[in-house]
Structures are given as structure tokens and as C-alpha cells.
Amino acid sequence: MIPRVWAPSATRVDLVLGDVRVPLTADGEWWVGDTDLPHGTDYAYSVDGGPPRPDPRSAWQPDGVHGASRVYDPGTFAWTDDGWSGVDVRGHVVYELHVGTFTPGGTLASAVEHLDELVSLGVDLVELMPVAPFSGVHGWGYDGVSTFGVHEPYGGPAGLQAFVDAAHARGLGVCLDVVHNHMGPSGNYLGEFGPYFTDAHETPWGTAINLDGVGSHEVRRWVCDSALRWFRDFHVDALRLDAVHALIDFSDRHVLAQLSDEVATLADALGRPLSLVAESDLNDPVSVTPTAEGGWGMTAQWDDDVHHAVHTLVTGERHGYYGDFGSPEVLRKALTRVFVHDGGYSTFRARDWGRPVPPETDGHRFVAAASTHDQVGNRALGDRPSARLDPGGLAAEAALVLLSPFTPMLFMGEEWGARTPWQYFTDHPDPELAAAVRDGRRREFGGHGWDAVYGGEIEVPDPQSPETFRASVLDRTELDDPAHPEHARLREWYRSLIALRRAVPDLASGDRSTTDLVWGGSGHGDGPWDGWLVLHRGGARVVVNLSDQPAAVPVQTQRPVEVVAAWDPAVVEQTPGGALVTASPRSVVVLA
């Protein structure tokens, strides 16, 4: 590796090799060395005589975010996936996992040991939560400080390459969650090198990344180069881009449009599909609109409105941003029009919000889930739906998401109704930062109505406590617990629903024009819906009875149907123009 670093305002930049400092030569805004550093060399940069700092494009931080960088040659890994043709995220089943809590080992290597389980479940693509280096050993990963690196406790860059290679060998694609909208509070030295940040815009995490000000040409290049590198050198199939609404860019060409076009060019060169999935709070179809039409050109985007509509209907929760959700009418809008807030008033935001999605837009362009790291981990106690819902309620949530017209995503452990929470945890060695995070987390939940949700005063788990982290590690022994057979039963239900997506074209379709929802029963007012629902998917029907009593559900259909999956026994009688389904309490029946 030839040392090369962008430092446009510096008068001197030194390459630091142990106790030796070697001056670099100015080349425009860049500083360049004349020595080729071999794989495994530790190095750092000093700007204007300052302390040694990690490379802003460091691939390897073996000694943490404050230590020296180490040269990593991606060509040293022996790939075995030459026959891999790739996977487009649209319409495929995604499985989100956090490396540190997916297994007791907490590494990429230990995660490989469970990939066959995901294949058996029917998963198509594994989404890794951020693996960028961050402060300490344990954390969510969204406070990383190196967009080019891999957290050393997870296995470093070689560990990620080995994981991707192992996944491809099993027919699984890999999506990597990446964060470009902000950097973590510890180990972020970018500002010492150049104008990576700007005071012109504000984000929830402070000053914004500089995408449209002086020097932004190289910051945009830094963003795009890091993304392209994961596809090219690490063979990943997709990137999930965190909180793109915080990538504030008023230039003529949005940085996401630039990235989309560059990724499309690389996909053509590699001969396999490469996907970009945006997480956006804007409820704006600009994210998936082609760049030629003025959009950002994302392959897909997360759609939290579907989660909110399903979750509130089944659980009855209405606090915080759930206030406008909870009725079958709202669920129908989410399933057919994608966004619930698509230009109308949002009570939580106290303003009109969003834009409508054009009717012809494929539903597969939107990722839907019953659980995500956000929707579980950002609860005050990090409790999953399985902590509150009965197995029938969990089965209903699974059916409504997996058999929807969207691209479905599962959150690790969801498939068996894991009882372990998934809480917010950090491991900052700096005591002042640790205290600030701890106090901030408690203040964050002070006025969100959590006491009403949990039925009394609560104590928010200490993010810095090792027990908070340990409690969040998946416990697979639940699957073998004879006292709780519902875990294995639920996993088999997920497996059956995913198999139906492959076997029944109507259930796999992203055509929203053939999707509808009808309902009936006594389920009105506040609280969980206790009536019945029928989801129409082309010629298939998904009957959901959320009542604690059997329900006789009229099902309209132009063709004879039969039961292809049922959570509990059901009786189907053919009637003129359809069928009458007698559904068991708290159950689901799929007809095709």
C-alpha cells in the first residue's frame, strides 16, 4: 500500500511507523509517500506535527479505534465463490443479525456455524448489523468511526471475507449495514484531516457530514469508495444504508444518486446484482426512483410504517410514534399503499409528512418486518414481541409480513419467538463518555409513556453494564426446552410460510394492485384488534383470527381454494363466490 491521505489544509503530514516519522509529499490536496507498505504493517498519520492518528480509510484497527492502522491486502484471502452469481435483495427473505449477540462467541467465525440453520429456514440473504470499528468490545455498531474497517473483536477484515465466502457456499447472499451519516463519539479524528463535517446542517447526532460544502468532493468520494470496496473486495451483495435522511445534500446531484450510478457500473463489471437498501424516515419514494428520473436510485428501502401497522394492531400499543396506527384501516393502507403517512398529517411529527408511492411501484422495493433491531432495541427494556404476545399473535405477525407484497426481513431469534431481550448496550472505556451515554439513555425514555406500556415504573437497563450485553445474547437452548414447545413450533411455522412464498406465485408477488385487506368482528376501539382479517394476495387468502374465540370468516374468491398452511386446525366450506373458514382462536389459515 502506498501511503496516501487527504489533508487539504495541512502544511505538513508525516507517516508514522512506530517511533519513526517520514514526511509525505504534497500532491494537490493529498499527501503521498514513496514507500510501498506491505500487508500487516502498522502505520498512522500526523498532521502538522500532531499526534499519530488512524488512517481515515483504514481497513484494519487491530488495537482499537485509537490505535495505529494496519495495512490489509484484500487479495491475501483465497476466495472459493467463483461460481457465485449474486442475489438481488428485492423479493428475497432477509435475516438481520448482530454479530456480537447472534452467538455466545460473538464473532463472524462463530456466526458461520449457524448459517445452515438459516438455509434450512429458507433465508436468502443475511444482513449484518454494522461491523465498523467502534469504542470498546461490545456495542450495536452504529457509533463506528471507520467506514472502511471491520471491528477486530468480530474477526477483523479477514473474518468478514471468510463469512461472506461461507455464506455464498451455502447459497446465501450477504448484506452489510453501513453508517455514513455520522461517526461515533470516541476515536473520530476525521476533522483533524479535513472538512469531513459541516456546521451548515444539523443531524440528530450533531454536525452533518459535509456533502455539499467546500471540500465535499473528496468527502463524497470517501463515502462512495468505502461502499464500492465492500462489493469489490469483500464480495458482499447488498448494503443497507443507515438513516439516509441525515445525509443532507443540497448539491445538484445527491450523493446517493452518485453512489447508485457507480454501484450500477460496478455491478455490470462484476456480472452480478448489487443492491442498495436505504433506511429513510422521509416516507418519500424519491429513494427508489431511478436516477435518470431525478431519484436516488436505491434498490429498496425500509418501510417502518408496515411494522407499526402490524405491531399496533396485534399488541394494542399506541404510545409515541404509534399514535396514528392500530386499526385495520391503517393496516390496509400500509399493505396496499406502502406509507401510512404519505402526505397527510402525522400526529407524532405534528405536521404533514411523506409523499405517495406511485401505484406501479413494485412492493418488493420496500423492506417490511415484524421486528428489527430498532423496534426491539429502542424499547425501554429491549423486550421483543414474544415477551408479550401469545404464540398465535406471533404467528399472525409473521404471516402478515412474510405473505405481504413487500421484501420480508426477520430479526435474529424472531423465528422461534426468542425470550431473550435485545437491549441497548455499549462498552466505552472512557468513564465520562460512559456516564453520558448512561444518563442520556435514561432521559430518552423519561417521557415516552413506557410506564403505561409496562404497567408501572421501570428501570432502564444500564447500557454499560456487562449484564445488559449478556442478556441480549441469543439462547438457542430455548428450541430444545420441553417445557416450551412453542419455540420449535413457531420456527416450523416460519419455515412453512417462507416455503409458501416459493411455492405459490401469488404469495411471492410484489404486485400491490392484487393486494387487499378486509376485516370483521368486534375488534374496534383501543387495545389489540380482536376481530378477524383476510389478506388478499392475488388468488391466495390469508385468514387471521385475533379473537380468543373461534370465528366463522367469509372469504371471497373466484376460484376453489384449499388450506396450504394453518397455525391451528380450521374447517373450510366452499360457498357460492368463495368459502367459509371456521378459524380457531388466535390462529392463521392460508388458502391457495
Side-chain angles (χ1 to χ4, degrees):
M1 183 198 83
I2 299 296
R4 190 169 182 268
V5 65
W6 181 58
S9 300
T11 58
R12 173 177 175 167
V13 176
D14 293 327
L15 171 68
V16 181
L17 301 170
D19 295 330
V20 178
R21 295 193 175 209
V22 181
L24 300 182
T25 302
D27 182 11
E29 297 181 333
W30 288 76
W31 295 78
V32 184
D34 57 6
T35 302
D36 192 354
L37 302 180
H39 174 83
T41 301
D42 289 347
Y43 71 102
Y45 295 118
S46 167
V47 178
D48 290 331
R53 298 302 192 197
D55 185 350
R57 293 175 172 237
S58 173
W60 197 358
Q61 289 295 126
D63 297 316
V65 296
H66 303 288
S69 301
R70 181 170 292 171
V71 176
Y72 186 77
D73 178 0
T76 58
F77 184 79
W79 291 95
T80 64
D81 67 347
D82 289 346
W84 177 248
S85 58
V87 57
D88 189 309
V89 70
R90 288 171 289 189
H92 288 98
V93 178
V94 183
Y95 188 96
E96 183 188 27
L97 69 84
H98 174 264
V99 174
T101 52
F102 183 59
T103 68
T107 66
L108 288 156
S110 60
V112 168
E113 298 173 7
H114 296 278
L115 290 181
D116 289 335
E117 298 168 14
L118 303 186
V119 173
S120 175
L121 184 63
V123 169
D124 299 302
L125 192 140
V126 179
E127 178 176 312
L128 300 177
M129 287 176 60
V131 299
F134 56 84
S135 173
V137 175
H138 308 303
W140 278 20
Y142 293 95
D143 54 0
V145 295
S146 174
T147 61
F148 288 72
V150 179
H151 195 48
E152 185 68 10
Y154 290 168
L160 179 59
Q161 288 180 311
F163 179 89
V164 174
D165 198 49
H168 287 174
R170 292 163 171 80
L172 292 169
V174 177
C175 175
L176 185 62
D177 194 341
V178 293
V179 183
H180 295 109
N181 55 69
H182 73 287
M183 296 291 110
S186 180
N188 175 16
Y189 301 110
L190 292 175
E192 297 182 21
F193 288 90
Y196 282 89
F197 302 92
T198 174
D199 292 329
H201 309 301
E202 279 289 323
T203 77
W205 304 282
T207 56
I209 298 293
N210 175 24
L211 300 171
D212 55 8
V214 175
S216 62
H217 60 293
E218 289 295 352
V219 179
R220 296 165 71 96
R221 192 69 265 145
W222 172 77
V223 169
C224 292
D225 286 350
S226 71
L228 295 172
R229 176 175 170 275
W230 298 121
F231 290 124
R232 184 186 61 247
D233 296 341
F234 288 78
H235 295 199
V236 303
D237 302 280
L239 296 179
R240 183 261 193 189
L241 308 175
D242 181 65
V244 299
H245 50 271
L247 293 173
I248 305 171
D249 183 3
F250 290 108
S251 59
D252 292 338
R253 186 187 188 201
H254 197 282
V255 67
L256 292 179
Q258 176 183 343
L259 177 59
S260 292
D261 288 341
E262 293 186 11
V263 168
T265 299
L266 180 60
D268 287 342
L270 296 178
R272 59 185 176 92
L274 305 176
S275 300
L276 294 172
V277 181
E279 183 211 9
S280 174
D281 185 49
L282 300 177
N283 280 24
D284 193 330
V286 67
S287 61
V288 296
T289 301
T291 59
E293 299 174 17
W296 297 345
M298 300 285 102
T299 313
Q301 80 152 78
W302 275 28
D303 182 6
D304 279 344
D305 280 14
V306 174
H307 166 272
H308 300 348
V310 171
H311 180 81
T312 54
L313 188 86
V314 178
T315 66
E317 292 185 0
R318 301 289 191 279
H319 64 287
Y321 48 69
Y322 292 152
D324 292 337
F325 298 83
S327 69
E329 292 89 347
V330 169
L331 177 59
R332 180 179 186 272
K333 183 174 183 181
L335 292 173
T336 59
R337 292 171 56 181
V338 182
F339 298 141
V340 172
H341 296 123
D342 58 359
Y345 189 76
S346 165
T347 303
F348 178 72
R349 299 178 179 91
R351 57 176 292 189
D352 290 342
W353 197 259
R355 292 176 55 217
V357 175
E360 67 276 10
T361 305
D362 186 1
H364 289 164
R365 304 295 292 270
F366 302 92
V367 178
S371 290
T372 69
H373 76 273
D374 271 331
Q375 302 305 334
V376 174
N378 283 325
R379 295 174 65 85
L381 299 182
D383 51 313
R384 299 167 178 265
S386 51
R388 302 180 157 273
L389 288 177
D390 61 304
L394 297 175
E397 287 195 336
L400 289 170
V401 170
L402 282 167
L403 303 183
S404 75
F406 307 114
T407 293
M409 186 182 76
L410 317 181
F411 180 55
M412 62 176 194
E414 170 192 339
E415 71 272 22
W416 74 78
R419 296 299 175 89
T420 48
W422 201 74
Q423 299 171 334
Y424 182 69
F425 47 85
T426 55
D427 184 35
H428 296 300
D430 180 349
E432 291 187 7
L433 178 57
V437 170
R438 182 183 296 115
D439 294 343
R441 192 69 174 176
R442 288 170 178 161
R443 286 195 304 271
E444 180 181 352
F445 291 113
H448 279 238
W450 290 107
D451 289 357
V453 172
Y454 294 118
E457 188 173 347
I458 61 168
E459 179 66 27
V460 178
D462 178 2
Q464 283 287 121
S465 169
E467 181 53 36
T468 302
F469 165 74
R470 285 194 292 267
S472 300
V473 177
L474 282 178
D475 178 10
R476 288 182 174 78
T477 64
E478 292 178 328
L479 284 161
D480 302 317
D481 185 354
H484 294 283
E486 67 273 14
H487 291 302
R489 182 188 177 199
L490 188 64
R491 184 173 64 173
E492 188 57 36
W493 175 246
Y494 270 81
R495 184 180 288 118
S496 298
L497 295 179
I498 293 172
L500 282 176
R501 288 178 53 85
R502 293 191 170 95
V504 181
D506 282 340
L507 295 175
S509 171
D511 186 354
R512 293 182 289 123
S513 70
T514 62
T515 299
D516 201 1
L517 186 75
V518 297
W519 57 89
S522 59
H524 297 281
D526 294 335
W529 174 259
D530 60 358
W532 53 262
L533 311 162
V534 181
L535 173 61
H536 291 217
R537 295 283 285 121
R541 300 289 184 265
V542 183
V543 179
V544 179
N545 179 20
L546 290 173
S547 169
D548 59 4
Q549 299 294 323
V553 182
V555 176
Q556 295 181 346
T557 175
Q558 300 300 313
R559 292 175 286 176
V561 291
E562 63 181 21
V563 176
V564 293
W567 178 251
D568 278 319
V571 176
V572 180
E573 302 174 51
Q574 301 297 329
T575 63
L580 183 67
V581 177
T582 302
S584 299
R586 305 290 290 177
S587 67
V588 183
V589 183
V590 184
L591 307 170

